[in-house]
Coordinates of all heavy atoms in Angstrom, one line a residue:
Chain A
E59 N 31.5 34.3 22.1 CA 32.3 33.6 23.1 C 31.4 32.4 23.7 O 30.2 32.6 23.9 CB 32.7 34.5 24.2 CG 33.9 35.4 23.9 CD 35.1 34.6 23.8 OE1 35.4 33.8 24.8 OE2 35.8 34.6 22.7
Y60 N 32.0 31.3 23.9 CA 31.4 30.2 24.6 C 32.2 29.9 25.9 O 33.3 29.4 25.8 CB 31.3 29.0 23.7 CG 30.3 29.1 22.6 CD1 30.8 29.5 21.3 CD2 29.0 29.0 22.7 CE1 30.0 29.7 20.2 CE2 28.1 29.2 21.7 CZ 28.6 29.5 20.4 OH 27.8 29.7 19.4
P61 N 31.6 30.4 27.0 CA 32.4 30.3 28.3 C 32.8 28.8 28.6 O 33.9 28.6 29.1 CB 31.4 30.8 29.4 CG 30.1 31.1 28.7 CD 30.3 30.9 27.2
N62 N 32.0 27.9 28.3 CA 32.5 26.5 28.5 C 32.4 25.7 27.2 O 31.6 24.8 27.1 CB 31.8 25.8 29.7 CG 30.3 26.2 29.7 OD1 29.8 26.8 28.8 ND2 29.6 25.7 30.8
L63 N 33.2 26.1 26.3 CA 33.3 25.4 25.0 C 33.9 24.0 25.3 O 34.8 23.9 26.0 CB 34.2 26.2 24.1 CG 34.4 25.6 22.7 CD1 33.2 26.1 21.8 CD2 35.7 26.0 22.1
K64 N 33.3 23.0 24.6 CA 33.8 21.7 24.7 C 34.4 21.3 23.4 O 34.3 22.0 22.4 CB 32.7 20.7 25.1 CG 32.1 21.0 26.5 CD 31.0 20.0 26.8 CE 30.3 20.4 28.1 NZ 29.1 19.6 28.3
F65 N 35.1 20.2 23.4 CA 35.8 19.7 22.2 C 35.3 18.4 21.6 O 35.0 17.5 22.4 CB 37.3 19.7 22.5 CG 38.0 21.0 22.5 CD1 37.9 21.8 23.7 CD2 38.6 21.5 21.4 CE1 38.4 23.0 23.8 CE2 39.2 22.8 21.5 CZ 39.1 23.6 22.7
A66 N 35.3 18.4 20.3 CA 34.9 17.1 19.7 C 35.9 16.1 19.9 O 37.1 16.4 20.0 CB 34.7 17.3 18.2
E67 N 35.5 14.8 20.2 CA 36.5 13.8 20.6 C 37.1 13.0 19.5 O 38.3 12.8 19.4 CB 35.8 12.9 21.6 CG 35.4 13.6 22.9 CD 35.5 12.8 24.1 OE1 35.3 11.6 24.0 OE2 35.8 13.4 25.2
S68 N 36.2 12.6 18.6 CA 36.7 11.7 17.5 C 35.8 11.8 16.3 O 34.7 12.3 16.4 CB 36.8 10.3 17.9 OG 35.5 9.8 18.1
L69 N 36.4 11.5 15.1 CA 35.5 11.5 14.0 C 35.4 10.1 13.4 O 36.3 9.3 13.5 CB 36.0 12.5 12.9 CG 37.4 13.0 12.8 CD1 37.9 12.7 11.5 CD2 37.3 14.5 13.1
D70 N 34.2 9.8 12.8 CA 34.0 8.5 12.2 C 34.6 8.5 10.8 O 34.2 9.3 10.0 CB 32.5 8.3 12.2 CG 32.1 6.9 11.7 OD1 32.7 6.4 10.8 OD2 31.2 6.3 12.3
P71 N 35.5 7.6 10.5 CA 36.2 7.7 9.2 C 35.2 7.2 8.1 O 35.4 7.6 6.9 CB 37.3 6.7 9.4 CG 36.9 5.8 10.4 CD 36.0 6.5 11.4
D72 N 34.2 6.5 8.4 CA 33.3 5.9 7.3 C 32.3 6.9 6.9 O 32.0 7.1 5.7 CB 32.7 4.6 7.8 CG 33.6 3.5 7.8 OD1 34.7 3.6 7.1 OD2 33.3 2.4 8.4
I73 N 31.6 7.4 7.9 CA 30.4 8.2 7.6 C 30.8 9.7 7.4 O 31.2 10.4 8.3 CB 29.4 8.1 8.7 CG1 29.1 6.7 9.1 CG2 28.1 8.8 8.3 CD1 28.4 5.8 8.2
C74 N 30.7 10.1 6.1 CA 30.9 11.5 5.9 C 29.9 12.0 4.8 O 29.9 11.4 3.7 CB 32.3 11.8 5.4 SG 32.6 13.6 5.2
L75 N 29.1 12.9 5.1 CA 28.1 13.4 4.1 C 28.8 14.6 3.3 O 29.8 15.1 3.8 CB 26.8 13.9 4.8 CG 26.2 12.9 5.7 CD1 24.8 13.5 6.2 CD2 25.9 11.6 5.1
T76 N 28.2 14.9 2.2 CA 28.8 16.0 1.4 C 28.1 17.3 1.8 O 27.1 17.3 2.5 CB 28.6 15.8 -0.1 OG1 27.2 15.7 -0.3 CG2 29.2 14.5 -0.6
E77 N 28.7 18.4 1.4 CA 28.1 19.7 1.7 C 26.7 19.8 1.1 O 25.8 20.3 1.7 CB 29.0 20.8 1.1 CG 30.2 21.1 2.0 CD 30.7 22.5 1.8 OE1 29.9 23.5 1.9 OE2 31.9 22.6 1.5
E78 N 26.6 19.2 -0.1 CA 25.3 19.2 -0.8 C 24.2 18.5 0.1 O 23.1 19.0 0.2 CB 25.4 18.5 -2.1 CG 24.1 18.3 -2.9 CD 23.5 17.0 -2.7 OE1 24.2 15.9 -2.7 OE2 22.3 16.9 -2.4
M79 N 24.6 17.4 0.7 CA 23.6 16.7 1.6 C 23.3 17.5 2.8 O 22.1 17.5 3.2 CB 24.2 15.3 2.0 CG 24.5 14.4 0.8 SD 25.2 12.9 1.5 CE 25.8 12.1 0.0
I80 N 24.2 18.2 3.4 CA 24.0 19.0 4.5 C 23.0 20.1 4.2 O 22.1 20.5 4.9 CB 25.3 19.5 5.2 CG1 26.1 18.3 5.7 CG2 25.0 20.5 6.3 CD1 25.5 17.5 6.8
R81 N 23.3 20.8 3.0 CA 22.4 21.8 2.5 C 21.0 21.3 2.4 O 20.0 22.0 2.7 CB 22.9 22.3 1.1 CG 23.9 23.5 1.2 CD 23.9 24.3 -0.1 NE 24.1 23.4 -1.3 CZ 25.3 23.1 -1.7 NH1 26.4 23.4 -1.0 NH2 25.5 22.3 -2.8
T82 N 20.9 20.1 1.8 CA 19.6 19.5 1.6 C 18.9 19.3 3.0 O 17.7 19.4 3.1 CB 19.7 18.2 0.8 OG1 20.3 18.5 -0.4 CG2 18.3 17.6 0.5
C83 N 19.7 18.9 4.0 CA 19.1 18.7 5.3 C 18.5 20.0 5.9 O 17.4 20.0 6.5 CB 20.2 18.2 6.3 SG 20.7 16.5 6.0
I84 N 19.3 21.1 5.7 CA 18.8 22.4 6.2 C 17.5 22.7 5.5 O 16.6 23.2 6.1 CB 19.9 23.4 6.0 CG1 21.1 23.1 6.9 CG2 19.4 24.8 6.4 CD1 22.4 23.9 6.5
W85 N 17.5 22.5 4.2 CA 16.3 22.8 3.4 C 15.1 21.9 3.9 O 14.0 22.4 4.0 CB 16.7 22.6 1.9 CG 15.5 22.6 1.0 CD1 14.9 23.7 0.5 CD2 14.8 21.4 0.6 NE1 13.9 23.3 -0.3 CE2 13.8 21.9 -0.3 CE3 14.9 20.1 0.8 CZ2 12.9 21.1 -0.9 CZ3 14.0 19.2 0.2 CH2 13.0 19.7 -0.7
M86 N 15.4 20.7 4.2 CA 14.3 19.8 4.6 C 13.7 20.2 5.9 O 12.5 20.1 6.1 CB 14.8 18.3 4.7 CG 15.0 17.6 3.4 SD 15.8 16.0 3.6 CE 14.4 15.0 4.3
K87 N 14.5 20.6 6.8 CA 14.0 21.1 8.1 C 13.0 22.2 7.9 O 11.9 22.1 8.5 CB 15.2 21.6 9.0 CG 14.7 22.1 10.4 CD 15.8 22.7 11.1 CE 15.4 23.6 12.2 NZ 14.7 22.9 13.3
R88 N 13.3 23.1 7.1 CA 12.3 24.2 6.8 C 11.1 23.8 6.0 O 10.0 24.2 6.3 CB 13.0 25.4 6.1 CG 14.2 25.9 6.9 CD 14.2 27.4 6.7 NE 13.1 28.1 7.3 CZ 13.0 29.4 7.4 NH1 13.9 30.2 6.9 NH2 11.9 29.9 8.0
R89 N 11.4 23.0 5.1 CA 10.3 22.6 4.1 C 9.3 21.7 4.8 O 8.1 21.8 4.6 CB 10.8 22.0 2.9 CG 9.8 21.7 1.8 CD 10.3 22.2 0.5 NE 9.4 22.1 -0.5 CZ 9.1 23.0 -1.4 NH1 9.7 24.2 -1.3 NH2 8.3 22.8 -2.4
Y90 N 9.8 20.7 5.6 CA 8.9 19.7 6.1 C 8.7 19.8 7.6 O 8.1 19.0 8.3 CB 9.4 18.3 5.8 CG 9.5 18.1 4.3 CD1 10.8 17.9 3.7 CD2 8.4 18.2 3.5 CE1 10.9 17.8 2.3 CE2 8.5 18.1 2.1 CZ 9.7 17.9 1.5 OH 9.9 17.8 0.2
L91 N 9.3 20.9 8.2 CA 9.2 21.2 9.6 C 9.6 20.0 10.5 O 9.0 19.6 11.5 CB 7.8 21.6 10.0 CG 7.3 22.9 9.3 CD1 5.8 23.2 9.6 CD2 8.1 24.1 9.6
C92 N 10.7 19.4 10.0 CA 11.2 18.2 10.8 C 12.5 18.7 11.6 O 12.9 19.9 11.4 CB 11.6 17.1 9.9 SG 12.9 17.4 8.7
K93 N 13.1 17.8 12.3 CA 14.3 18.2 13.0 C 15.5 18.0 12.1 O 15.4 17.2 11.2 CB 14.5 17.3 14.3 CG 13.3 17.5 15.3 CD 13.7 16.9 16.6 CE 13.8 15.4 16.5 NZ 12.5 14.7 16.7
Y94 N 16.6 18.7 12.4 CA 17.8 18.5 11.6 C 18.1 17.0 11.5 O 18.4 16.5 10.5 CB 19.0 19.2 12.2 CG 19.0 20.7 12.0 CD1 19.0 21.6 13.1 CD2 19.1 21.2 10.8 CE1 19.1 23.0 12.9 CE2 19.2 22.6 10.6 CZ 19.2 23.5 11.7 OH 19.3 24.8 11.5
I95 N 18.1 16.4 12.7 CA 18.6 15.0 12.8 C 17.7 14.1 12.0 O 18.2 13.1 11.5 CB 18.8 14.6 14.3 CG1 19.6 13.3 14.4 CG2 17.4 14.4 15.0 CD1 21.1 13.5 14.0
D96 N 16.4 14.4 11.9 CA 15.5 13.5 11.1 C 16.0 13.6 9.7 O 15.9 12.5 9.0 CB 14.1 14.1 11.2 CG 13.5 13.9 12.6 OD1 13.9 13.0 13.3 OD2 12.6 14.8 12.9
A97 N 16.3 14.7 9.2 CA 16.8 14.9 7.8 C 18.1 14.2 7.6 O 18.3 13.4 6.7 CB 16.9 16.4 7.4
V98 N 19.0 14.3 8.6 CA 20.4 13.7 8.5 C 20.2 12.2 8.4 O 20.9 11.5 7.6 CB 21.2 14.1 9.7 CG1 22.5 13.2 9.8 CG2 21.6 15.5 9.7
K99 N 19.3 11.6 9.2 CA 19.1 10.2 9.3 C 18.6 9.6 7.9 O 18.8 8.4 7.7 CB 18.0 9.8 10.4 CG 18.5 10.0 11.8 CD 19.6 8.9 12.1 CE 20.3 9.2 13.4 NZ 19.6 8.7 14.6
C100 N 18.1 10.5 7.1 CA 17.7 10.0 5.7 C 19.0 9.7 4.9 O 19.0 8.8 4.0 CB 16.9 11.1 5.0 SG 15.3 11.4 5.7
F101 N 20.1 10.4 5.2 CA 21.3 10.3 4.4 C 22.3 9.2 4.9 O 23.1 8.8 4.2 CB 22.0 11.6 4.3 CG 21.3 12.6 3.4 CD1 20.4 13.6 3.8 CD2 21.6 12.5 2.0 CE1 19.9 14.5 2.9 CE2 21.0 13.4 1.1 CZ 20.1 14.4 1.6
V102 N 22.2 8.9 6.2 CA 23.1 8.0 6.8 C 22.5 6.6 6.9 O 21.3 6.5 7.1 CB 23.7 8.4 8.2 CG1 24.4 9.7 8.0 CG2 22.6 8.5 9.2
P103 N 23.3 5.5 6.7 CA 22.7 4.2 6.7 C 22.3 3.8 8.2 O 23.0 4.2 9.1 CB 23.9 3.3 6.3 CG 25.1 4.1 6.6 CD 24.7 5.5 6.4
A104 N 21.1 3.2 8.3 CA 20.6 2.8 9.6 C 21.5 1.8 10.3 O 21.8 1.9 11.5 CB 19.2 2.3 9.5
G105 N 22.0 0.8 9.5 CA 22.8 -0.2 10.1 C 24.2 0.2 10.4 O 24.7 1.3 9.9
S106 N 24.9 -0.5 11.2 CA 26.3 -0.2 11.4 C 27.2 -1.2 10.6 O 26.7 -2.1 10.0 CB 26.7 -0.3 12.9 OG 26.3 -1.6 13.3
K107 N 28.4 -1.0 10.7 CA 29.4 -1.8 9.9 C 29.1 -3.3 10.3 O 29.0 -3.6 11.5 CB 30.8 -1.4 10.3 CG 31.8 -1.5 9.2 CD 33.2 -1.3 9.6 CE 33.4 0.0 10.3 NZ 34.8 0.3 10.6
S108 N 29.1 -4.1 9.3 CA 28.9 -5.5 9.6 C 30.1 -6.1 10.4 O 31.3 -5.7 10.0 CB 28.7 -6.3 8.3 OG 29.7 -6.1 7.4
K109 N 29.9 -6.9 11.4 CA 31.0 -7.3 12.3 C 32.0 -8.1 11.5 O 33.2 -7.9 11.6 CB 30.4 -8.2 13.4 CG 29.4 -7.4 14.3 CD 30.2 -6.4 15.2 CE 29.3 -5.6 16.1 NZ 28.4 -4.7 15.4
R110 N 31.5 -9.1 10.7 CA 32.5 -9.9 9.9 C 32.9 -9.0 8.8 O 32.0 -8.4 8.1 CB 31.8 -11.1 9.4 CG 31.1 -12.0 10.4 CD 29.9 -12.7 9.9 NE 28.8 -11.8 10.0 CZ 27.9 -11.7 9.0 NH1 28.0 -12.3 7.9 NH2 26.8 -10.9 9.1
G111 N 34.1 -8.7 8.6 CA 34.6 -7.8 7.6 C 34.2 -8.1 6.2 O 34.5 -7.4 5.2
K112 N 33.4 -9.2 6.0 CA 33.0 -9.6 4.7 C 31.9 -8.7 4.1 O 30.9 -8.4 4.8 CB 32.5 -11.1 4.8 CG 32.6 -11.8 3.5 CD 32.3 -13.3 3.7 CE 32.1 -14.0 2.4 NZ 30.7 -14.6 2.3
K113 N 32.1 -8.3 2.9 CA 31.1 -7.5 2.2 C 30.1 -8.4 1.5 O 30.5 -9.3 0.9 CB 31.8 -6.5 1.3 CG 32.5 -5.4 2.0 CD 32.3 -4.1 1.3 CE 32.7 -2.9 2.1 NZ 33.4 -1.9 1.4
R114 N 28.8 -8.0 1.6 CA 27.8 -8.8 0.9 C 27.1 -7.9 -0.1 O 26.6 -6.8 0.3 CB 26.8 -9.3 1.9 CG 27.4 -10.3 2.9 CD 26.6 -11.6 3.1 NE 25.2 -11.3 3.1 CZ 24.3 -11.8 2.2 NH1 24.7 -12.5 1.2 NH2 23.0 -11.6 2.4
N115 N 27.0 -8.4 -1.3 CA 26.2 -7.7 -2.3 C 25.1 -8.6 -2.6 O 25.2 -9.6 -3.3 CB 27.1 -7.4 -3.5 CG 26.3 -6.8 -4.7 OD1 25.1 -6.6 -4.5 ND2 27.0 -6.5 -5.8
P116 N 23.9 -8.2 -2.2 CA 22.7 -9.1 -2.3 C 22.4 -9.4 -3.8 O 21.7 -10.4 -4.0 CB 21.6 -8.3 -1.7 CG 22.1 -7.0 -1.4 CD 23.5 -7.0 -1.5
Y117 N 22.8 -8.6 -4.7 CA 22.5 -8.9 -6.1 C 23.7 -9.4 -6.9 O 23.8 -9.4 -8.1 CB 21.9 -7.7 -6.8 CG 20.5 -7.5 -6.3 CD1 20.2 -6.8 -5.2 CD2 19.4 -8.0 -7.1 CE1 18.9 -6.6 -4.7 CE2 18.1 -7.8 -6.6 CZ 17.9 -7.1 -5.5 OH 16.6 -6.9 -5.0
K118 N 24.8 -9.7 -6.2 CA 26.1 -10.1 -6.8 C 25.8 -11.3 -7.8 O 26.4 -11.3 -8.9 CB 27.0 -10.5 -5.7 CG 28.5 -10.6 -6.2 CD 29.4 -10.9 -5.0 CE 29.0 -12.1 -4.2 NZ 29.4 -12.2 -2.9
D119 N 25.0 -12.2 -7.3 CA 24.8 -13.4 -8.2 C 23.7 -13.3 -9.2 O 23.6 -14.2 -10.0 CB 24.5 -14.6 -7.2 CG 25.6 -14.8 -6.2 OD1 26.8 -14.5 -6.5 OD2 25.3 -15.2 -5.1
A120 N 23.0 -12.2 -9.2 CA 22.0 -12.0 -10.2 C 22.6 -11.9 -11.6 O 23.6 -11.2 -11.8 CB 21.2 -10.7 -9.9
E121 N 22.1 -12.7 -12.5 CA 22.7 -12.7 -13.8 C 22.2 -11.6 -14.7 O 22.9 -11.2 -15.6 CB 22.4 -14.1 -14.4 CG 23.3 -15.2 -13.9 CD 22.9 -16.6 -14.3 OE1 22.2 -16.6 -15.3 OE2 23.2 -17.5 -13.6
G122 N 21.0 -11.2 -14.4 CA 20.4 -10.2 -15.2 C 19.9 -10.8 -16.5 O 20.2 -11.9 -16.9
E123 N 19.0 -10.0 -17.1 CA 18.4 -10.4 -18.3 C 19.3 -10.2 -19.4 O 19.7 -9.1 -19.8 CB 17.1 -9.6 -18.5 CG 16.1 -10.3 -19.4 CD 14.8 -9.4 -19.5 OE1 14.9 -8.4 -20.3 OE2 13.9 -9.6 -18.8
Q124 N 19.8 -11.3 -20.0 CA 20.8 -11.1 -21.1 C 20.1 -11.0 -22.4 O 19.8 -11.9 -23.1 CB 21.8 -12.3 -21.1 CG 22.6 -12.5 -19.8 CD 23.5 -11.3 -19.6 OE1 23.9 -10.6 -20.5 NE2 24.0 -11.1 -18.3
K125 N 20.0 -9.7 -22.8 CA 19.3 -9.5 -24.1 C 20.2 -8.4 -24.8 O 20.7 -7.5 -24.1 CB 17.9 -8.9 -23.8 CG 16.8 -9.9 -24.0 CD 15.5 -9.2 -24.1 CE 14.3 -10.1 -23.7 NZ 13.1 -9.3 -23.5
P126 N 20.3 -8.5 -26.1 CA 21.0 -7.5 -26.8 C 20.3 -6.2 -26.7 O 19.0 -6.2 -26.6 CB 21.1 -8.0 -28.2 CG 20.0 -9.0 -28.3 CD 19.8 -9.6 -27.0
E127 N 21.0 -5.1 -26.8 CA 20.3 -3.8 -26.8 C 19.4 -3.7 -28.0 O 19.8 -3.8 -29.2 CB 21.4 -2.7 -26.9 CG 22.0 -2.3 -25.6 CD 22.9 -1.1 -25.7 OE1 22.7 -0.2 -26.6 OE2 23.9 -1.1 -25.0

Side-chain angles (χ1 to χ4, degrees):
Chain A
E59 280 293 305
Y60 292 97
N62 37 8
L63 183 85
K64 295 178 189 175
F65 285 79
E67 299 215 328
S68 67
L69 23 124
D70 188 317
D72 283 346
I73 311 288
C74 185
L75 307 185
T76 61
E77 283 205 52
E78 174 265 313
M79 295 179 193
I80 297 297
R81 268 203 305 280
T82 305
C83 288
I84 295 167
W85 169 84
M86 281 174 76
K87 177 186 162 69
R88 297 218 69 173
R89 188 131 180 137
Y90 304 115
L91 302 176
C92 65
K93 299 193 293 274
Y94 283 122
I95 196 68
D96 294 331
V98 171
K99 288 290 168 84
C100 294
F101 283 98
V102 297
S106 55
K107 214 187 305 187
S108 52
K109 296 286 179 293
R110 306 147 278 137
K112 202 168 167 245
K113 286 221 168 139
R114 297 229 315 118
N115 175 357
Y117 286 84
K118 195 174 55 203
D119 303 326
E121 281 168 23
E123 199 180 83
Q124 296 298 339
K125 260 194 200 166
E127 275 185 34

